[in-house]
Amino acid sequence: MLYITILNFMIMYRSRLKKNLNEITLEYVSSLFDDAEIAFYDIAGSQAHVIMLYEKKIITKSDAKKILVALERLKKEKFDKKSDSEDIHELIEQHVIKKIGMASGGKMHTGRSRNDQVSLDIRMKIRDDINLLCQCLLNMIQTLVSLAQKHQKTIMPLYTHLQQAQVGLFSHYLLSYTDALFRDLERLYVTYGRVNESPLGAGPIGGTSIPIDRQSTAKLLGFKGIVENSIDATSTRDYVIEYVAAVAIIMTNLSRLAEDFVIWSTSEFAFIELPDEFTSPSSVMPQKKNPDILELTRGKTAQVIGNLTTILSIVKGLPSGYNRDLQQIKPSIWSSSRIAITALIVIKSMLEKINVDNQNMKKAMEGGYLVALDVAENLANNGIPFRTAHQIVGNLVKTAHISKKSLEKLSIDEIKRSTKGIDPKTIKKIIDSTSISSSLQNRISQGSSGISEQKRMIQHRMDKINAYKTGITKRGNEVKTVFSNLTLKVKSLTK
Ligand code: ARG
């Protein structure tokens, strides 16, 4: 008897096909391993569907009850990835039928298809991942802003082309990543709206004659609406592309930050020291303290970019409707989420313990002519055309560099050679009154390294954190409530 049942299951979807897949072909075709990530969502989606089938009087209460109980039990079971099913959808239906029999269990899949089902599961999974990522981003932003608050007076050189450019502040640097990560957060925040639409009930591609209610399942699962067109609902993965692209952008931001920190932690720079627990040793060189975590952030970013490329390549040439190629998208999504979530957690914890060497940052500016632009601007503020001022200071730097001295050590005679008709004494006075600290005091343009701007920006970003906190917590709670309400509904229907 048992033998017959098992045999039946093996051919559950294969009634038209005379032979089963052999072991190696099954493994080639199966997505069961990757489907572990959506098992929970698949069960929840099926429960919502069954509740709707019952409420629309498409199946009886008794059938619905049996299916719901079987599904609820499955939530607690470990899935055997070694199964004859091709995917989680088949496996779950198989389990339900095995437990309660074909007469009731066989009704679970009425009015839907695996094609809407798989997209539904992916959407619910991405929805949760977005909420988690938003939370991680917000935590990281908070850490950056707190660190910026501590380093509002930590002077450092700013670089372009990796050459010293202007005098700056470490807080300003940290706030630049704060803003980049805020954009990442905003991007995910709006992507959520496009992910949070239900494809359930679209059927294989053209809908169904069974009088299902797509709006009701969407509501039960917390979606803000449905992906209306059933061809679109089953074919599109644009929401996946959008999500993974947003994740790839997060990673490129983290990767750039990682690169700065790799450079700054070298003994040549020594601007920062990484905490021991975030570095790796060498197997031979006892002195080594390698920034492996930062390097891996760069490496894993490449992986996420690869994931995005994989997904785009799968989608770009597909004809409309479901095609099995789409199955290969899933591991790229899971991998991208996992990488970005852990990267944000790890880098945030590392930042909290980083040692910043104010002295070395300041020392690096010695002999760097970093105030050159400030001198030129001070000349410009005295009515000299900026282009002339630029030429004067350029010449002064050249003279100073040849005689290996700083600008303020230049004599009146040396200055005379490059005055372009301006009184050398005026130039000397301006050079003498221009220093690193005056430069930072006078930098008043909005968003600049100026001291006053730091204070303003920090306060503004702190308010922004609080505003987002409310929205993100609310969204997370909404999804949690949806799933607990669904469980409650299942309970009340099955008692
Ligand atoms: N395992 C499939 C996937 O992940 C589910 C959909 C299968 N649909 C089909 N018609 N074969 O994409």
Side-chain angles (χ1 to χ4, degrees):
M1 171 62 182
L2 187 70
Y3 176 69
I4 294 168
T5 347
I6 289 171
L7 210 71
N8 263 336
F9 292 129
M10 283 173 73
I11 54 168
M12 193 169 76
Y13 292 167
R14 301 183 73 84
S15 42
R16 181 206 187 279
L17 310 169
K18 284 208 190 85
K19 287 187 176 163
N20 288 335
L21 301 174
N22 68 26
E23 204 177 317
I24 186 156
T25 315
L26 178 63
E27 202 180 318
Y28 189 75
V29 163
S30 171
S31 64
L32 214 46
F33 184 83
D34 298 323
D35 288 345
E37 301 257 3
I38 47 170
F40 170 80
Y41 304 108
D42 202 70
I43 294 172
S46 292
Q47 287 182 324
H49 184 67
V50 167
I51 292 171
M52 179 277 294
L53 289 178
Y54 156 64
E55 283 174 350
K56 289 270 120 191
K57 300 195 169 56
I58 298 163
I59 63 172
T60 64
K61 184 163 188 180
S62 140
D63 285 338
K65 250 172 128 166
K66 285 186 204 155
I67 302 170
L68 290 172
V69 169
L71 284 170
E72 197 59 25
R73 276 202 202 123
L74 270 180
K75 274 193 195 165
K76 292 176 201 107
E77 261 172 50
K78 266 204 150 191
F79 284 115
D80 182 7
K81 286 171 194 158
K82 276 213 163 325
S83 146
D84 50 26
S85 306
E86 285 185 31
D87 55 32
I88 193 74
H89 324 294
E90 187 178 1
L91 182 74
I92 288 176
E93 194 180 345
Q94 205 175 70
H95 268 272
V96 170
I97 295 174
K98 195 156 127 190
K99 271 193 185 129
I100 62 172
M102 186 59 88
S104 300
K107 290 181 178 162
M108 182 175 113
H109 205 56
T110 312
R112 67 167 182 181
S113 150
R114 278 190 294 172
N115 298 349
D116 54 356
Q117 210 179 334
V118 66
S119 189
L120 173 81
D121 297 354
I122 296 173
R123 282 175 186 269
M124 285 196 275
K125 159 81 173 140
I126 293 182
R127 195 170 65 173
D128 276 350
D129 286 354
I130 289 182
N131 282 337
L132 204 57
L133 270 169
C134 284
Q135 194 54 61
C136 292
L137 279 166
L138 209 57
N139 293 345
M140 167 101 177
I141 289 171
Q142 185 132 38
T143 301
L144 283 166
V145 175
S146 308
L147 207 56
Q149 211 167 12
K150 275 210 319 223
H151 289 284
Q152 290 179 65
K153 299 225 164 99
T154 304
I155 299 165
M156 70 178 293
L158 300 176
Y159 298 84
T160 65
H161 311 270
L162 213 54
Q163 304 278 329
Q164 293 196 353
Q166 281 185 281
V167 173
L169 290 166
F170 191 45
S171 57
H172 194 208
Y173 169 82
L174 295 164
L175 287 173
S176 76
Y177 277 94
T178 300
D179 287 1
L181 294 183
F182 260 130
R183 283 193 295 277
D184 290 336
L185 181 62
E186 278 154 13
R187 207 171 286 120
L188 279 182
Y189 206 76
V190 294
T191 298
Y192 186 91
R194 281 183 282 273
V195 172
N196 196 23
E197 294 178 332
S198 170
L200 183 58
I205 178 164
T208 171
S209 63
I210 312 271
I212 59 164
D213 181 355
R214 295 190 59 198
Q215 297 290 347
S216 127
T217 46
K219 212 165 154 209
L220 275 171
L221 295 167
F223 288 99
K224 83 165 192 288
I226 64 168
V227 189
E228 190 177 38
N229 186 311
S230 63
I231 305 174
D232 179 35
T234 50
S235 307
T236 192
R237 293 295 183 272
D238 55 4
Y239 65 95
V240 175
I241 297 170
E242 187 176 342
Y243 168 66
V244 178
V247 174
I249 298 173
I250 296 176
M251 287 307 297
T252 54
N253 281 327
L254 295 182
S255 185
R256 289 196 305 117
L257 179 133
E259 171 63 3
D260 282 337
F261 281 25
V262 167
I263 296 174
W264 293 346
S265 65
T266 57
S267 36
E268 284 75 7
F269 272 82
F271 285 4
I272 53 165
E273 194 186 343
L274 302 174
D276 284 359
E277 61 270 45
F278 292 95
T279 56
S280 301
S282 152
S283 63
V284 279
M285 297 168 282
Q287 85 282 12
K288 289 286 258 176
K289 187 173 170 183
N290 292 328
D292 292 29
I293 286 170
L294 298 169
E295 292 165 338
L296 281 166
T297 304
R298 292 188 313 219
K300 285 171 193 270
T301 301
Q303 234 174 310
V304 175
I305 294 169
N307 289 340
L308 176 61
T309 312
T310 300
I311 298 170
L312 286 166
S313 312
I314 289 173
V315 167
K316 70 151 185 74
L318 288 185
S320 297
Y322 177 83
N323 297 273
R324 195 65 179 263
D325 319 39
L326 290 173
Q327 178 167 292
Q328 293 311 102
I329 280 178
K330 290 183 289 187
S332 299
I333 312 173
W334 316 159
S335 146
S336 304
S337 294
R338 211 175 307 121
I339 288 174
I341 289 165
T342 47
L344 284 165
I345 293 173
V346 171
I347 295 177
K348 174 204 172 274
S349 324
M350 185 168 110
L351 278 175
E352 281 169 349
K353 295 196 169 167
I354 212 151
N355 214 333
V356 179
D357 195 324
N358 308 26
Q359 292 308 320
N360 278 344
M361 282 185 170
K362 208 168 169 187
K363 222 165 67 203
M365 290 185 294
E366 284 168 13
Y369 307 108
L370 268 134
V371 291
L373 174 58
D374 302 282
V375 173
E377 282 184 352
N378 285 344
L379 289 168
N381 280 334
N382 275 275
I384 299 165
F386 178 76
R387 186 51 57 218
T388 309
H390 181 273
Q391 285 166 350
I392 293 173
V393 181
N395 285 331
L396 290 174
V397 168
K398 193 161 63 183
T399 313
H401 179 68
I402 290 167
S403 46
K404 289 198 169 61
K405 41 169 103 158
S406 60
L407 286 177
E408 67 265 23
K409 292 270 158 63
L410 289 175
S411 66
I412 289 283
D413 275 350
E414 284 168 313
I415 294 174
K416 246 183 215 159
R417 278 184 245 146
S418 35
T419 54
K420 306 249 163 208
I422 313 291
D423 176 17
K425 279 197 200 116
T426 311
I427 298 177
K428 175 78 180 141
K429 220 167 91 194
I430 286 176
I431 292 174
D432 288 346
S433 66
T434 309
S435 64
I436 287 174
S437 66
S438 77
S439 151
L440 290 171
Q441 286 298 342
N442 296 341
R443 218 72 76 66
I444 47 168
S445 63
Q446 190 174 346
S448 68
S449 289
I451 299 269
S452 58
E453 273 303 277
Q454 305 309 302
K455 228 173 137 192
R456 185 192 61 74
M457 286 194 279
I458 288 170
Q459 188 52 52
H460 175 264
R461 299 331 184 245
M462 271 154 94
D463 296 342
K464 200 166 162 182
I465 292 173
N466 287 333
Y468 264 112
K469 218 179 248 170
T470 323
I472 289 165
T473 316
K474 191 168 156 252
R475 265 187 186 172
N477 288 340
E478 269 166 16
V479 176
K480 259 187 230 149
T481 312
V482 158
F483 287 127
S484 56
N485 282 349
L486 186 65
T487 311
L488 286 178
K489 190 141 193 181
V490 167
K491 265 196 192 131
S492 83
L493 273 172
T494 54
K495 68 172 176 239

